[in-house]
Amino acid sequence: MAQLVRQPVRPLRPAFRHSFHTPEQLDRLKQATLDILEDVGVRFRSAKALAVLAEHGARVDPKTRVARFAPELVLDAMAKAPRRFTLGAREPSCDIAVGDGATYCTSDGCGPRIIDPLTGVDRPSRKADVEAVTRMLDYLGSMGFWWPTVSAGDCGTTSQLHEVEAGLRNTVKHLQGMVQGARQARFAVEMATVVAGSAEELRRRPVLSALIGTVSPLVQDTDGIEAAMVFAEAGVPVCFVTMPTLGTTAPATRAGAFALAAAELVSATVLLQLVAPGAPVIHSYIPSYIDPRTGAFLSFPRDHRGAPLTAELPHYWGVPAEGTACGTDATEPGTWQGGVEEAVSLAEGAQIGADLMPSIGLLGTYTTFSAEHLMLGDDIYHRVRAMIDDIDFSDDALAMEAIADVGPGGHFLGHRHTRTHLRDAVVRGITHELAVDGSYRDALEVARERALEIWRDYRPEPLPDDKARELARIMVAADGELLA
């Protein structure tokens, strides 16, 4: 059996971009956000964060813990946040130049369940699953960076740190962890420093970034914001993500929901720029919906307008965008619903100019990992990548000589130009795998077969033994301190 070799990272590089909203519309949203920050404010549950904000001129109500921001404070702080920076990786060829015009994708995260690829049983996920799924993400060229696709549910309150350790040991790509709490963040920084080689190298080429959630409406919780402060001081990029639910935790109108969500992201970014001027920050909007008939949580209704704002708004504020979420509300792999929702979201994310993007791998609205679903999503990803790429208009590609040689009523199959180009003209997808009898095989069966091969046989370049031992030591210390 041939050894599996990691595929090169192939980001989405669209030939053309689209602007869906005018500068006047974006100005209205920006002004609405400034008005919310000045007049309504944002509640910061962290006393440390409130002290920093008060010191720099924010109006802090100690009773309600609500901070209000003058527009000048907001705009001055946001101007310090960089639009472009590097997300480093253990393997330098996997570094991401954020803002280079491409869209780099990762999986969905952080699902609490997995359909076991070996047994087919739907069960809670464990740290061993994080390791195995990470190896799949390391192999696939559709995955530009890492999220913990599933959770280390067997590791208790230090599960997020165990997920980062599993990621650092099982992929050479950039990691975006989901670590909350100041003490946990310090352990995560310590592990990332070991892998990077030094604190200075971590700051120059951070192998780790952090996904920190806000709380809608208009709240920054203690664990999230204090972890973000630790990461910012260490030079670890922070991606703030907001998940407003229209009609419950946000207005039922899209414009109102985005104005409110922007206030959450901007207020958190202002704090980090006051703590560590120039700290790299990314904004991520993942709007969701409530079904008014059932109360069910939905991410992908038929009318998903406003998704372009997930990239346009961050760029208007001058920071990178971790754009519109992909994934699906479908609960079974291989369904029409799963395919159409992931295809539309991937194409949309590239066209709107998202710098980074969560994408494929989970079913049931970010809850359950399916290995075959990941492989089907990988196939959709590469279809979208080809669809948005430009085509060659060179003299050879225009084939004028071949057309003249064949002429009216002729046939191109035997022409030397066809022999040169036909293999590249037809790239087989997962739906075009041939059976022994020459018919096309079932795509879900092919996806399951490919997933099992990667799950069982692919192994990424391991960490050097001394660094692996040091990560293990840090995790023992973290468990000893945080589980006590």
Side-chain angles (χ1 to χ4, degrees), residues 213-227:
T214 65
V215 181
S216 296
L218 300 173
V219 175
Q220 309 290 352
D221 77 324
T222 301
D223 281 348
I225 208 66
E226 291 191 354

Side-chain angles (χ1 to χ4, degrees), residues 42 55 83 106 118 199 260 269 337 372 374 380 443 471 481:
V42 176
E55 180 186 348
R83 173 66 182 85
T106 185
L118 302 179
L260 176 138
T269 305
Q337 180 185 5
E372 53 261 47
L374 175 67
I380 292 171
L471 293 192
E481 177 179 326

Side-chain angles (χ1 to χ4, degrees), residues 155-175:
C155 294
T157 57
T158 57
S159 61
Q160 295 167 343
L161 287 172
H162 280 277
E163 290 156 11
V164 169
E165 187 216 5
L168 289 169
R169 288 193 293 105
N170 287 280
T171 182
V172 298
K173 298 176 182 178
H174 177 81
L175 270 67

Side-chain angles (χ1 to χ4, degrees), residues 12-276:
L12 302 172
R13 293 188 182 276
F16 304 99
R17 299 280 193 192
H18 296 295
S19 295
F20 289 81
H21 297 92
T22 66
E24 291 76 18
Q25 290 173 313
L26 295 174
D27 270 336
R28 290 205 70 187
L29 270 174
K30 188 171 185 178
Q31 186 58 53
T33 296
L34 289 170
D35 291 344
I36 292 169
L37 291 171
E38 184 175 24
D39 299 333
V40 181
V42 176
R43 176 172 291 129
F44 284 76
R45 298 192 184 279
S46 162
K48 181 178 180 181
L50 287 172
V52 172
L53 293 172
E55 180 186 348
H56 288 85
R59 291 182 291 123
V60 172
D61 184 332
K63 196 171 198 178
T64 63
R65 297 194 168 191
V66 170
R68 293 175 173 85
F69 301 77
E72 297 77 16
L73 173 62
V74 174
L75 296 174
D76 287 348
M78 290 299 297
K80 295 180 174 65
R83 173 66 182 85
R84 293 174 175 81
F85 49 84
T86 296
L87 295 178
R90 181 147 60 93
E91 165 52 55
S93 66
C94 294
D95 283 3
I96 294 174
V98 176
D100 71 350
T103 299
Y104 295 85
C105 287
T106 185
S107 63
D108 297 326
C110 176
R113 302 195 66 80
I114 184 172
I115 300 173
D116 192 302
L118 302 179
T119 67
V121 173
D122 184 333
R123 57 170 175 77
S125 60
R126 308 183 282 254
K127 183 177 181 179
D129 300 317
V130 180
E131 295 169 341
V133 176
T134 297
R135 292 193 290 269
M136 294 188 74
L137 304 188
D138 187 80
Y139 173 78
L140 294 173
S142 55
M143 299 289 97
F145 64 107
W146 174 92
W147 264 17
T149 312
V150 294
S151 59
D154 55 337
C155 294
T157 57
T158 57
S159 61
Q160 295 167 343
L161 287 172
H162 280 277
E163 290 156 11
V164 169
E165 187 216 5
L168 289 169
R169 288 193 293 105
N170 287 280
T171 182
V172 298
K173 298 176 182 178
H174 177 81
L175 270 67
Q176 189 167 96
M178 301 181 182
V179 175
Q180 310 291 303
R183 292 193 297 170
Q184 290 90 330
R186 292 188 187 97
F187 282 113
V189 169
E190 187 177 358
M191 286 194 288
T193 302
V194 168
V195 174
S198 68
E200 294 74 19
E201 187 65 12
L202 178 64
R203 191 176 294 275
R204 188 178 74 86
R205 286 182 54 250
V207 297
L208 178 71
S209 58
L211 188 79
I212 302 291
T214 65
V215 181
S216 296
L218 300 173
V219 175
Q220 309 290 352
D221 77 324
T222 301
D223 281 348
I225 208 66
E226 291 191 354
M229 294 165 75
V230 170
F231 287 126
E233 290 170 336
V236 171
V238 174
C239 177
F240 287 114
V241 57
T242 175
M243 298 183 69
T245 302
L246 276 70
T248 56
T249 62
T253 54
R254 286 166 174 79
F258 273 98
L260 176 138
E264 296 169 9
L265 300 183
V266 170
S267 65
T269 305
V270 168
L271 173 67
L272 292 203
Q273 299 311 311
L274 300 178
V275 169

Side-chain angles (χ1 to χ4, degrees), residues 450-462:
R450 292 184 183 179
L452 277 174
E453 181 184 17
I454 300 168
W455 184 276
R456 288 170 168 160
D457 299 334
Y458 175 71
R459 293 296 179 270
E461 181 181 344

Side-chain angles (χ1 to χ4, degrees), residues 314-343:
H315 292 167
Y316 212 63
W317 280 99
V319 296
E322 193 156 308
T324 182
C326 194
T328 179
D329 291 328
T331 58
E332 299 289 335
T335 64
W336 169 87
Q337 180 185 5
V340 72
E341 288 175 350
E342 291 194 343

Side-chain angles (χ1 to χ4, degrees), residues 237-382:
V238 174
C239 177
F240 287 114
V241 57
T242 175
M243 298 183 69
T245 302
L246 276 70
T248 56
T249 62
T253 54
R254 286 166 174 79
F258 273 98
L260 176 138
E264 296 169 9
L265 300 183
V266 170
S267 65
T269 305
V270 168
L271 173 67
L272 292 203
Q273 299 311 311
L274 300 178
V275 169
V281 175
I282 304 161
H283 284 185
S284 179
Y285 296 82
I286 305 180
S288 57
Y289 310 83
I290 187 168
D291 188 324
R293 286 186 293 182
T294 67
F297 177 83
L298 299 172
S299 284
F300 305 98
R302 191 180 75 170
D303 181 356
H304 196 40
R305 282 174 300 162
L309 289 169
T310 63
E312 291 173 327
L313 261 183
H315 292 167
Y316 212 63
W317 280 99
V319 296
E322 193 156 308
T324 182
C326 194
T328 179
D329 291 328
T331 58
E332 299 289 335
T335 64
W336 169 87
Q337 180 185 5
V340 72
E341 288 175 350
E342 291 194 343
V344 169
S345 297
L346 278 165
E348 183 177 60
Q351 291 292 306
I352 64 179
D355 301 282
L356 306 169
M357 183 178 169
S359 59
I360 56 178
L362 294 183
L363 295 163
T365 320
Y366 320 126
T367 58
T368 304
F369 175 78
S370 160
E372 53 261 47
H373 180 67
L374 175 67
M375 299 309 299
L376 292 170
D378 177 74
D379 186 78
I380 292 171
Y381 177 95
H382 288 293

